[in-house]
Amino acid sequence: VQLQASGGGLVQAGGSLRLSCVASGRSFRSYTVGWFRQAPGKEREFVAAISWSGDTYYADSVKERFTISRDNAKMRGDLQMNSLEPEDTAIYYCAAQSSGRPEVPQYGYWGQGTLVTVSS
């Protein structure tokens, strides 16, 4: 599975962005799709994930602000980010895995990352 993340950019605090992760190659219908982020000088952290059956998982810091979704027919997973804060500034990575805990960054497949910058 190859993953391509897009949608990052510069936005003011309180604004919104929608990240997309498009898969190619083998079908990812049975995979969990996750989003992680890494800010400068910090470790990669879990943001959100959605299982093959549609179960969703969120980090406490993004609950009520971010929404993860997927479209298996389009082999795509999206992350809608609202009410963005400067603390959300990071490189965001999408990932896919067939098994494992959704919040642990040990996914088998990773996209290249897309930069999100939130100005105050």
Side-chain angles (χ1 to χ4, degrees), residues 7-19 37 62 64-67 79-89 92 116-120:
L10 173 64
V11 65
Q12 290 187 334
S16 299
L17 282 175
R18 188 176 185 88
L19 305 184
R37 67 187 182 187
V62 306
E64 309 301 331
R65 300 190 297 123
F66 291 10
T67 302
L79 184 68
Q80 177 66 41
M81 306 186 296
N82 299 328
S83 302
L84 283 162
E85 304 168 351
E87 292 74 23
D88 296 317
T89 295
Y92 283 69
V116 172
T117 304
V118 184
S119 63
S120 57

Side-chain angles (χ1 to χ4, degrees), residues 90-108:
I91 298 174
Y92 283 69
Y93 299 89
C94 67
Q97 66 176 2
S98 58
S99 64
R101 291 173 56 184
E103 75 279 13
V104 178
Q106 294 180 348
Y107 285 50

Side-chain angles (χ1 to χ4, degrees), residues 1 3 23 25-34 50-55 57 70-76 95-100 102 107-109:
V1 175
L3 302 174
R26 297 172 59 186
S27 173
F28 82 160
R29 184 181 299 272
S30 62
Y31 285 64
T32 292
V33 177
I50 184 167
S51 71
W52 64 271
S53 60
D55 294 330
Y57 309 84
R70 67 187 296 160
D71 185 332
N72 288 333
K74 296 181 179 179
M75 296 180 65
R76 171 173 165 168
Q97 66 176 2
S98 58
S99 64
Y107 285 50
Y109 305 98

